[in-house]
Amino acid sequence: MTMPDTKRGRERKGQKKRQQRRRFEIERELEARERELDFDELYEEEEIELEI
């Protein structure tokens, strides 16, 4: 037998999904920063000429 669907249950599930989404977005941003820093460190002392 399953539990009936309740407004409180739906709200709790929605809140959990929002927390998971926030956590995922924060982790993704931190990883992007790490990649960006690695790129900057990699080419820190080199001059790069761009032809426009």
Side-chain angles (χ1 to χ4, degrees):
M1 179 175 217
T2 60
M3 303 251 331
D5 187 27
T6 62
K7 182 177 179 182
R8 183 170 187 257
R10 289 190 304 273
E11 289 173 346
R12 184 179 288 166
K13 184 177 180 181
Q15 183 179 25
K16 184 167 179 71
K17 290 291 182 185
R18 284 190 295 276
Q19 289 173 347
Q20 289 173 340
R21 191 178 312 124
R22 258 187 256 126
R23 189 175 299 124
F24 174 76
E25 290 172 357
I26 289 169
E27 288 174 3
R28 189 173 61 188
E29 276 296 316
L30 290 174
E31 288 174 3
R33 283 185 184 178
E34 287 176 4
R35 283 194 302 270
E36 191 174 297
L37 290 174
D38 290 344
F39 180 80
D40 290 342
E41 289 173 5
L42 198 63
Y43 296 101
E44 187 175 275
E45 297 180 13
E46 292 186 32
E47 288 187 26
I48 300 174
E49 292 184 26
L50 299 176
E51 293 182 25
I52 300 177

